[in-house]
Amino acid sequence: MIKLVACDMAGTTIDEHGDVYVALARAVEETGAATTAEAVQEWMGADKVEAITALIERGGGTPAPDTVRNAFARFKQLLADSYAANPPVPLTGVEDAIRELQDRGIKVALTTGFSRDVAEPLLAGLGWTVADDGGSIPGGNGTAGGSKARHGIVLDAVVCADDVAAGRPAPYMIHRTMELTGVQDVREVLAAGDTANDLLAATRAGVTAVGVLTGKLNRAALAQYPHQHILDGVRNIPAILPV
């Protein structure tokens, strides 16, 4: 029986209008390196510092520490500007699915390739919180201790790329959500995401891997990677789990 559902953020639970792709590509290109849509897609879901480092090198640049640091700062500024101009929103049916899962006693966590200083304002803008010791706080990586507020989403945990030793496709963020929520058996965990790195991380973590079609990849593209389910969206997760 599934006791924990861990979902990616951008493109999986949150519609941020593809701005992360644009910001990442532009930040890399401003260093003088070239990018392609395919190369950027390959690094979606991964830690953004790791992504910038790899994309600069792949694009013919030299990923010196200062170059990467400045490009990452530029990425965060570009993304913040885009989010301010066109605020992200929950994907259709996601909030209802989270509430249904939690009402059934299943914990819900989010994982993200964003650093915490990017993720927390994004969640705050949606009015989503993380419960800690029975109360809710903006952002944070605590675990739920109280009842879920009906007027908003109260997540059981949020894990960011800078909370762990390595981002996706490493399994660490998923295992960290298990630690935070007290779930010890990987057979009791489902992880969902819209990218290849999401599915690879879920597989390496030993949990049920679910691809969703709310990102840039279509069914055929996602199906190339190890998975147990490919769904139209997170909204469909409750339907595949036994009541």
Side-chain angles (χ1 to χ4, degrees), residues 7-15 89-91 94 98 110 128 214 234:
C7 297
D8 171 52
M9 285 175 54
T12 298
T13 53
I14 301 169
D15 181 4
V89 296
L91 281 159
V94 164
I98 291 174
L110 297 184
W128 292 7
T214 44
V234 166

Side-chain angles (χ1 to χ4, degrees), residues 16-159:
E16 47 82 67
H17 320 295
D19 288 336
V20 64
Y21 290 82
V22 176
L24 184 58
R26 185 171 168 188
V28 170
E29 289 167 357
E30 287 182 1
T31 70
T35 65
T36 64
E38 293 76 17
V40 173
Q41 176 63 59
E42 182 180 332
W43 282 93
M44 282 300 102
D47 175 271
K48 296 304 177 283
V49 174
E50 294 176 8
I52 288 168
T53 301
L55 287 168
I56 290 174
E57 185 170 26
R58 183 167 175 174
T62 301
D66 284 348
T67 302
V68 173
R69 188 180 306 112
N70 291 337
F72 182 53
R74 179 61 172 153
F75 162 75
K76 290 192 291 184
Q77 184 59 58
L78 289 167
L79 196 62
D81 292 346
S82 295
Y83 285 176
N86 192 15
V89 296
L91 281 159
T92 301
V94 164
E95 292 187 323
D96 288 340
I98 291 174
R99 291 192 183 99
E100 180 176 347
L101 291 168
Q102 290 177 326
D103 284 346
R104 287 161 58 176
I106 299 170
K107 296 179 179 181
V108 178
L110 297 184
T111 62
T112 178
F114 293 148
S115 54
R116 187 157 294 277
D117 60 349
V118 174
E120 288 190 350
L122 175 55
L123 293 173
L126 298 173
W128 292 7
T129 57
V130 183
D132 186 285
D133 296 329
S136 62
I137 58 173
N141 62 351
T143 59
S147 61
K148 307 300 183 291
R150 301 308 301 179
H151 62 278
I153 295 301
V154 182
L155 299 156
D156 293 282
V158 172
V159 177

Side-chain angles (χ1 to χ4, degrees), residues 140-190:
N141 62 351
T143 59
S147 61
K148 307 300 183 291
R150 301 308 301 179
H151 62 278
I153 295 301
V154 182
L155 299 156
D156 293 282
V158 172
V159 177
C160 302
D162 52 351
D163 294 329
V164 293
R168 304 184 191 107
Y172 305 137
M173 285 197 290
I174 295 171
H175 289 160
R176 178 64 174 151
T177 67
M178 294 175 63
E179 180 182 1
L180 290 170
T181 57
V183 176
Q184 299 183 11
D185 191 338
V186 294
R187 294 171 297 181
E188 297 173 339
V189 181
L190 179 153

